[in-house]
Amino acid sequence: MQSVYSTECIARNLDKTVTNVVKLLKAKGLTIATAESCTGGLLSERITSVSGASDVFELGVCSYSCRIKNEILGVDADVIEKYGVVSSETALEMVRGIKRISSADVCVSVTGIAGPSGGTPEQPVGTVYIGFDICGKQFVKLPELWELDNGTRERIRLAAAAFAFETIEKYLTEANHSDER
């Protein structure tokens, strides 16, 4: 994990991955939307840094508070109460909410603990849930970002963004191969 998600590797590869994702979305005629908490708009910022992003980017919601998660994204307050704001269930409701608002083909949500405070033994700093809705396929991933060497707030946020875009790129590339068969 350390070599894959070192700050230097993240910085080198993130822009390339995002550019590839925007190109794949454009080539397929697909759109993307984001619902972010601990990444604070980083995914949206990276998408819009790519020339031509206006052809694919629908919307980014930075939903840092529980109130906004509930009122804008429609995350059920009972879900937050029962499972916590940093949970697979909340990430899934966030991605469903951004899908409902945007109707984008690819939606991604991020909720987690970037640190340096806020971690617990059950949910250490680096616990980040990333929700996806890729052309109707919904799932949540939990990258083990607490394993990062020197897991600073910046590195955790960048690694979460890198993981999200790498996952989207993988699914869109695999879709290319299945389209060719």
Side-chain angles (χ1 to χ4, degrees):
M1 170 89 54
Q2 286 103 352
S3 63
V4 175
Y5 285 113
S6 71
T7 301
E8 297 78 27
C9 282
I10 294 169
R12 255 194 322 273
N13 295 325
L14 183 57
D15 288 337
K16 179 181 174 212
T17 303
V18 174
T19 299
N20 289 343
V21 166
V22 170
K23 286 179 181 176
L24 284 165
L25 290 166
K26 193 170 181 178
K28 294 174 165 286
L30 301 176
T31 55
I32 188 168
T34 64
E36 303 180 64
S37 190
C38 68
T39 48
L42 182 61
L43 275 66
S44 296
E45 187 276 328
R46 293 297 175 144
I47 293 167
T48 59
S49 72
V50 178
S51 179
S54 59
D55 294 333
V56 300
F57 186 59
E58 288 290 317
L59 171 69
V61 171
C62 185
S63 56
Y64 223 70
S65 73
C66 292
R67 182 179 69 82
I68 296 301
K69 285 176 182 66
N70 175 260
E71 291 178 13
I72 304 296
L73 294 174
V75 176
D76 192 319
D78 291 339
V79 168
I80 293 173
E81 178 70 28
K82 183 174 182 180
Y83 300 103
V85 72
V86 178
S87 66
S88 176
E89 293 81 3
T90 296
L92 188 58
E93 287 219 2
M94 287 172 66
V95 85
R96 288 175 175 160
I98 200 67
K99 175 71 171 184
R100 177 184 46 78
I101 293 166
S102 70
S103 298
D105 303 295
V106 176
C107 296
V108 60
S109 67
V110 184
T111 185
I113 306 167
S117 61
T120 66
E122 298 79 27
Q123 287 192 318
V125 169
T127 302
V128 178
Y129 290 92
I130 305 174
F132 299 90
D133 182 317
I134 302 177
C135 300
K137 181 178 170 129
Q138 294 181 351
F139 57 98
V140 176
K141 297 254 186 184
L142 175 63
E144 297 177 354
L145 302 182
W146 58 83
E147 296 284 334
L148 287 172
D149 184 39
N150 187 20
T152 64
R153 184 174 183 84
E154 177 187 18
R155 188 175 294 180
I156 289 167
R157 292 175 70 237
L158 284 169
F163 186 91
F165 287 116
E166 288 165 7
T167 302
I168 294 167
E169 181 182 38
K170 177 184 172 205
Y171 274 81
L172 294 177
T173 301
E174 287 175 357
N176 270 344
H177 295 306
S178 65
D179 291 346
E180 294 169 1
R181 294 181 190 162

